[in-house]
Amino acid sequence: MANNYGGKRPGAGRKKKDAATRVLNGTATAAELPALTVHGDLCGNAMPPPNEYLTKQSRGAENRGREIYEKLWTWLRERDCHLLINPENLQQYALSLARCEQAENAIHDFGFLAKHPTTGQPIESPYVKIAQKYQKQAQGQWAAIEVNIAERLRHYVDNNSETTDPMEIILRESAETAHKRRNGG
């Protein structure tokens, strides 16, 4: 029955399959396929040097940004994912995590309560909100790193796998590869 309105009705028609399903089924177009092609051994690349802002200290507080960056780079390299990530993303994550740690240390040093500047009443320490802000920022940056890896390597996901999480599959397979390489197998 016509209702005198033209055009497609919302929700009408067959539902579209997502790009990941089309890639796995082999029906994806060339534009939907990942642009990543890897040739040869990629294990010989050195870690890009971290920026200076990861090591600067403020009033005697240690900034562990460089240490976090180097540990994360090593962890990703062991899983053969280090070439899929922009080093600036890793540096921003390391900086956010280091600042969160600094705020947590200030909370331990000064406590959860502070004195209101005008009324003198106890209030929540500003370091609590600072720590929460940087923790949320670090979690968002880590999620972006995971999405980046998962999207670039989505075509490696096997249909017969017991899990459908591409990040879990990639990390498990790359950890097994790294283990075999270290043990000469």
Side-chain angles (χ1 to χ4, degrees):
M1 179 171 151
N3 58 5
N4 296 331
Y5 293 104
K8 183 180 173 185
R9 304 295 180 264
R14 184 178 47 153
K15 304 297 179 211
K16 294 182 178 180
K17 293 182 180 178
D18 61 341
T21 305
R22 290 193 302 272
V23 168
L24 292 173
N25 293 339
T27 59
T29 63
E32 293 174 327
L33 293 175
L36 178 67
T37 56
V38 179
H39 301 287
D41 185 24
L42 301 175
C43 297
N45 296 320
M47 176 180 69
N51 286 336
E52 287 300 315
Y53 66 82
L54 288 177
T55 57
K56 288 186 179 179
Q57 297 182 1
S58 171
R59 297 183 183 166
E62 181 184 357
N63 186 347
R64 291 191 45 233
R66 182 182 200 105
E67 179 185 342
I68 293 169
Y69 172 76
E70 290 171 355
K71 282 184 178 180
L72 182 59
W73 181 266
T74 304
W75 185 81
L76 287 170
R77 186 179 179 126
E78 289 173 355
R79 287 153 181 81
D80 294 331
C81 295
H82 62 289
L83 297 175
L84 305 173
I85 300 298
N86 186 351
E88 284 78 21
N89 289 354
L90 294 181
Q91 291 178 12
Q92 287 298 317
Y93 171 75
L95 183 64
S96 295
L97 199 58
R99 288 180 176 169
C100 180
E101 286 181 5
Q102 286 178 341
E104 288 292 335
N105 288 335
I107 292 170
H108 291 296
D109 291 343
F110 303 116
F112 288 102
L113 294 178
K115 189 177 184 180
H116 192 276
T118 57
T119 64
Q121 296 294 320
I123 60 170
E124 181 183 44
S125 171
Y127 295 114
V128 173
K129 289 193 185 206
I130 292 170
Q132 289 172 347
K133 179 180 85 168
Y134 282 116
Q135 183 178 24
K136 183 176 181 181
Q137 187 176 1
Q139 287 173 342
Q141 289 164 341
W142 181 252
I145 289 170
E146 282 187 339
V147 166
N148 191 1
I149 291 173
E151 286 300 317
R152 287 185 173 199
L153 296 178
R154 188 172 294 280
H155 66 282
Y156 290 117
V157 176
D158 184 14
N159 272 342
N160 299 329
S161 178
E162 61 271 1
T163 181
T164 59
D165 182 20
M167 190 68 177
E168 182 180 340
I169 294 168
I170 291 163
L171 291 176
R172 185 182 328 118
E173 288 176 357
S174 59
E176 290 171 2
T177 304
H179 179 69
K180 288 177 186 176
R181 186 175 45 230
R182 279 192 298 261
N183 295 333

